[in-house]
């Protein structure tokens, strides 16, 4: 009976654990008497974190706020993140110990490590790292695994007292310029770490990297840091502000030089009329706040960790002013396209009439649209490829042939007269038939009868070549110019066999061959 009971002994079924001895703590864990009420012990009130700062185990950094040189960032506040844990303290001591160590040239040694540290390296790896560091400081590029590059970046980040921040930022930029083609991941690493490094140490971007800030800006989580209005191209700044890049698809490369030259000019003219100065993103962008933890994904020791908060003008926040300015840019792009003979397809729903007039006045002077002269199409140009084979052969002019045709026509007339001889008609029917008007293909009266007053007024404005009045007329009556011109052309084609209006997108012209006929329509 007892053997059966031993089968259910759970303690025997569970394997024994090898309990490790607990490491003693550095803090005093002795009992402290607690007195409730007003005489509470000071040791109970003070937290472990506060005691660590008081005992000097942590360097209690001070919070500071400043205004950087970038006008898009109005203020930056850096708050050191204190913690009782001395994480990566060994890395700090090793970095200080090896800072001035040099090595002779040697071959590269593989070093696979996501977070590289000195204590995980062998002697050959250390020697190659010291040689690689010397080469980078001299501006010499050598082949090296990514882990050595990250270790050098961690060294710069964590030793601001030993490596001057001005030199450290230049060294970080040099590393990126050397190895960004080999290791594309450095774009995102350097974009964030260099931003944090400069914000914490109140630095501007080094001159070596100013030509490549657009690459880092796209890879960074803080685009505005790399987009300083003082050094950024005004055309790029304008496109980023309104969230629209003209000719972004690259379909019409001929428009690029004209867009960069004239779009910024016309926007400056609008800004000068409204605010008395040139365009500035400070007048358009919304002021907002942001925060970021310094050196994300990097090896950052306890005494360099910080929280960065900032107030800035954000490109990502779309305001009504930015939307209206974007429509001005789109309308200016339409005018550049019209100048090059490209169909305008961009809609501008929030564009004000006053802004439209200012833009039209500018482009009428700088890039006037030339009206195309109508060229009558050659018959052979719109014939089919083989249709000319079915045309009648030309035999020239002959009086004998003309007499033969006349004789044949008289014979046909006599035959027709005999065919209708048997039809009896009363005198009243004969009088009615004689008084019936003969319909001729003339332009004196019938053509004008088929056009509405709106269409006739459209023709008058087109003949007067007053496009401003024409646009106002269409807008007042809620009409589309292309639709009205198409209706007139359809009627004209049924009446005289050809179209009389050419043009689109607000620019229309009467075909010169039919100008007299159209004027006669309007007089009647």
């Amino acid at each position: 009976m007892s053997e059966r009971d031993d089968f259910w002994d759970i303690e025997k079924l569970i394997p024994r654990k090898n309990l490790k001895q607990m490491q003693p703590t550095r803090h005093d864990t002795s009992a402290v008497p607690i007195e409730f009420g007003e005489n509470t012990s000071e040791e109970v009130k003070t937290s472990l974190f506060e005691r660590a700062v008081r005992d000097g185990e942590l360097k209690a950094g001070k919070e500071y706020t400043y205004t950087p040189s970038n006008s898009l960032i109005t203020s930056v506040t850096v708050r050191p993140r204190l913690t009782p844990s001395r994480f990566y303290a060994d890395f700090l001591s090793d970095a200080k110990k090896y800072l001035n160590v040099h090595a002779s040239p040697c071959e590269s040694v593989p070093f696979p490590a996501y977070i590289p540290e000195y204590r995980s390296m062998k002697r050959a790896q250390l020697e190659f790292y010291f040689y690689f560091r010397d080469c980078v400081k001299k501006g010499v590029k050598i082949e090296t695994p990514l882990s050595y590059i990250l270790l050098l970046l961690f060294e710069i980040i964590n030793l601001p007292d030993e490596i001057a921040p001005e030199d450290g930022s230049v060294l970080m930029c040099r590393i990126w310029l050397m190895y960004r083609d080999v290791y594309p991941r450095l774009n995102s690493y350097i974009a964030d770490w260099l931003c944090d490094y400069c914000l914490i140490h109140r630095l501007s971007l080094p001159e070596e990297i100013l030509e490549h800030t657009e690459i880092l800006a796209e890879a960074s989580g803080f685009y505005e840091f790399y987009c300083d209005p003082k050094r950024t191209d005004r055309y790029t700044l304008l496109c980023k502000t309104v969230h629209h890049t003209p000719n972004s698809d690259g379909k019409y490369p001929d428009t690029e030089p004209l867009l960069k030259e004239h779009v910024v000019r016309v926007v400056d003219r609008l800004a000068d009329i409204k605010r008395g100065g040139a365009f500035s993103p400070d007048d358009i962008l919304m002021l907002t706040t942001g925060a970021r933890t310094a050196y994300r994904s990097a090896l950052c020791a306890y005494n360099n960790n910080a929280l960065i908060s900032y107030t800035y003008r954000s490109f990502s926040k779309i305001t009504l002013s930015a939307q209206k300015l974007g429509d001005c840019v789109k309308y200016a792009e339409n005018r550049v396209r019209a100048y090059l003979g490209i169909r305008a397809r961009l809609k501008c729903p929030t564009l004000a009439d006053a802004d439209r007039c200012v833009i039209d006045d500018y482009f009428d002077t700088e890039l006037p649209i030339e009206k195309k002269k109508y060229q009558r199409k050659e018959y052979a140009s719109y014939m089919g490829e083989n249709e000319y084979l079915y045309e009648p052969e030309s035999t020239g002019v002959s009086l004998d042939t003309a007499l033969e045709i006349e004789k044949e026509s008289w014979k046909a007339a006599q035959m027709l007269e005999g065919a209708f001889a048997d039809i009896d008609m009363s005198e009243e029917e004969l009088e009615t038939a004689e008084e019936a008007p003969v319909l001729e293909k003339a332009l004196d009266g019938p053509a004008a009868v088929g056009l509405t007053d709106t269409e006739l007024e459209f023709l008058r404005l087109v003949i007067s070549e007053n496009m401003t009045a024409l646009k106002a007329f269409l807008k007042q009556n809620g009409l589309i110019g292309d639709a009205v011109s198409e209706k007139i052309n359809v009627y004209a084609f049924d009446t005289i066999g050809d179209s009389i209006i050419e043009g689109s997108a607000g620019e229309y012209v009467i075909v010169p061959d039919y100008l007299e006929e159209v004027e006669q329509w309007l007089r009647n």
Side-chain angles (χ1 to χ4, degrees):
M1 190 67 179
S2 61
E3 294 179 357
R4 294 181 179 179
D5 293 340
D6 292 342
F7 177 78
W8 301 104
D9 192 352
I10 304 300
E11 294 181 358
K12 291 183 178 182
L13 298 177
I14 299 176
R16 294 180 177 275
K17 295 182 178 180
N18 185 15
L19 300 178
K20 295 182 179 180
Q21 185 177 1
M22 298 293 294
Q23 296 293 335
T25 179
R26 292 181 286 105
H27 302 287
D28 185 12
T29 58
S30 58
V32 178
I34 299 177
E35 299 179 3
F36 297 97
E38 297 181 355
N39 298 326
T40 305
S41 174
E42 181 68 22
E43 295 295 330
V44 177
K45 291 182 180 179
T46 306
S47 65
L48 179 64
F49 172 77
E50 294 171 343
R51 273 187 282 169
V53 175
R54 183 194 61 191
D55 296 340
E57 296 180 6
L58 292 180
K59 183 180 179 181
K62 295 182 179 179
E63 174 184 326
Y64 55 92
T65 302
Y66 69 97
T67 301
S69 59
N70 188 342
S71 62
L72 294 178
I73 307 174
T74 57
S75 67
V76 176
T77 301
V78 180
R79 299 181 179 88
R81 300 185 65 181
L82 303 181
T83 172
S85 302
R86 295 173 58 87
F87 51 87
Y88 293 126
D90 296 337
F91 177 85
L92 278 178
S93 60
D94 292 341
K96 295 176 182 179
K97 181 174 64 175
Y98 296 129
L99 181 61
N100 297 318
V101 178
H102 305 280
S104 57
C106 56
E107 295 183 358
S108 175
V109 181
F111 179 40
Y114 182 73
I115 302 293
E117 296 188 53
Y118 300 100
R119 298 199 174 188
S120 60
M121 303 171 70
K122 298 179 181 179
R123 182 179 182 83
Q125 294 171 336
L126 280 173
E127 291 180 356
F128 176 75
Y129 170 70
F130 299 146
Y131 169 63
F132 158 73
R133 184 174 60 186
D134 293 340
C135 290
V136 171
K137 291 181 179 180
K138 296 176 183 178
V140 179
K141 179 181 178 180
I142 62 173
E143 294 184 3
T144 179
L146 179 61
S147 299
Y148 293 103
I149 300 175
L150 295 178
L151 182 59
L152 180 54
L153 292 172
F154 297 160
E155 187 176 288
I156 298 170
I157 290 173
N158 289 280
L159 298 179
D161 296 333
E162 288 73 16
I163 302 175
E166 293 81 3
D167 299 335
S169 61
V170 172
L171 198 57
M172 292 176 71
C173 295
R174 185 180 301 171
I175 293 171
W176 178 69
L177 292 174
M178 284 183 176
Y179 295 100
R180 65 190 180 97
D181 296 333
V182 182
Y183 302 106
R185 282 192 295 173
L186 285 176
N187 290 345
S188 58
Y189 289 154
I190 296 293
D192 286 334
W193 297 346
L194 179 62
C195 174
D196 297 336
Y197 193 81
C198 292
L199 289 176
I200 290 176
H201 300 293
R202 310 184 191 188
L203 300 175
S204 300
L205 287 173
E207 296 182 359
E208 291 83 349
I209 208 170
L210 294 183
E211 297 180 359
H212 310 279
T213 52
E214 187 63 27
I215 300 175
L216 293 176
E218 295 295 339
S220 173
F222 190 13
Y223 182 93
E224 289 75 10
F225 172 77
Y226 291 98
C227 189
D228 191 345
K230 296 179 182 178
R231 61 172 183 269
T232 304
D233 178 55
R234 299 188 73 241
Y235 180 74
T236 304
L237 199 64
L238 175 62
C239 296
K240 200 69 183 177
T241 302
V242 301
H243 294 262
H244 173 71
T245 302
N247 194 35
S248 57
D249 55 357
K251 188 176 181 180
Y252 303 104
D254 296 339
T255 62
E256 284 294 333
L258 293 176
L259 288 171
K260 291 182 178 180
E261 179 182 358
H262 294 282
V263 169
V264 177
R265 287 185 185 179
V266 73
V267 170
D268 284 343
R269 178 174 293 188
L270 288 169
D272 184 55
I273 294 173
K274 294 182 178 180
R275 303 182 182 87
F279 159 74
S280 174
D282 297 345
D283 302 328
I284 305 297
L285 300 178
M286 179 186 297
L287 197 64
T288 184
T289 59
R292 55 192 288 127
T293 301
Y295 308 126
R296 289 177 296 181
S297 303
L299 188 155
C300 181
Y302 65 93
N303 61 338
N304 293 304
N305 199 1
L307 179 66
I308 306 172
S309 57
Y310 41 86
T311 305
Y312 68 108
R313 300 188 183 278
S314 173
F315 285 115
S316 60
K317 306 291 184 180
I318 301 178
T319 62
L320 181 59
S321 300
Q323 186 178 359
K324 292 181 178 179
L325 183 61
D327 283 347
C328 294
V329 173
K330 292 177 182 178
Y331 188 72
E333 183 180 359
N334 285 342
R335 287 301 305 261
V336 172
R337 288 189 173 204
Y339 171 75
L340 297 175
I342 304 171
R343 187 176 180 86
R345 298 183 179 274
L346 299 176
K347 297 181 179 180
C348 312
T350 62
L351 181 62
D353 293 338
D355 296 340
R356 187 190 301 270
C357 292
V358 172
I359 298 173
D360 286 337
D361 292 341
Y362 173 85
F363 281 101
D364 289 343
T365 305
E366 299 293 334
L367 298 177
I369 301 175
E370 297 181 1
K371 296 180 180 180
K372 296 182 179 180
K373 295 183 179 180
Y374 177 76
Q375 296 180 354
R376 196 172 183 86
K377 296 180 180 179
E378 296 293 338
Y379 179 63
S381 63
Y382 57 85
M383 285 177 53
E385 184 177 357
N386 300 317
E387 192 172 349
Y388 70 95
L389 298 175
Y390 300 95
E391 288 187 345
E393 295 183 0
S394 178
T395 58
V397 179
S398 174
L399 293 177
D400 296 336
T401 306
L403 290 174
E404 290 292 334
I405 295 174
E406 186 175 1
K407 290 180 181 180
E408 293 294 333
S409 63
W410 278 110
K411 291 179 181 180
Q414 292 175 0
M415 294 174 62
L416 290 173
E417 184 179 358
F420 293 98
D422 298 335
I423 300 178
D424 295 332
M425 297 182 65
S426 62
E427 294 181 359
E428 295 180 357
E429 290 175 342
L430 288 173
E431 292 178 358
T432 305
E434 292 175 357
E435 295 175 358
V438 179
L439 297 178
E440 297 180 356
K441 201 173 186 180
L443 298 177
D444 294 340
V449 177
L451 297 176
T452 63
D453 295 339
T454 302
E455 294 165 349
L456 292 174
E457 181 64 23
F458 183 87
L459 283 175
R460 290 191 186 94
L461 294 173
V462 172
I463 290 179
S464 65
E465 298 184 356
N466 189 352
M467 294 298 108
T468 303
L470 178 61
K471 293 177 183 178
F473 171 73
L474 294 173
K475 183 175 181 181
Q476 183 179 2
N477 293 275
L479 301 173
I480 300 175
D482 292 351
V484 178
S485 63
E486 184 178 358
K487 289 182 179 179
I488 296 174
N489 282 334
V490 169
Y491 182 80
F493 192 85
D494 294 338
T495 306
I496 63 176
D498 202 355
S499 300
I500 62 174
I501 300 179
E502 279 197 343
S504 63
E507 298 291 336
Y508 303 95
V509 64
I510 301 295
V511 177
D513 293 351
Y514 304 114
L515 184 59
E516 295 181 1
E517 288 84 347
V518 174
E519 291 176 349
Q520 189 173 0
W521 287 9
L522 297 177
R523 286 196 298 270
N524 295 333

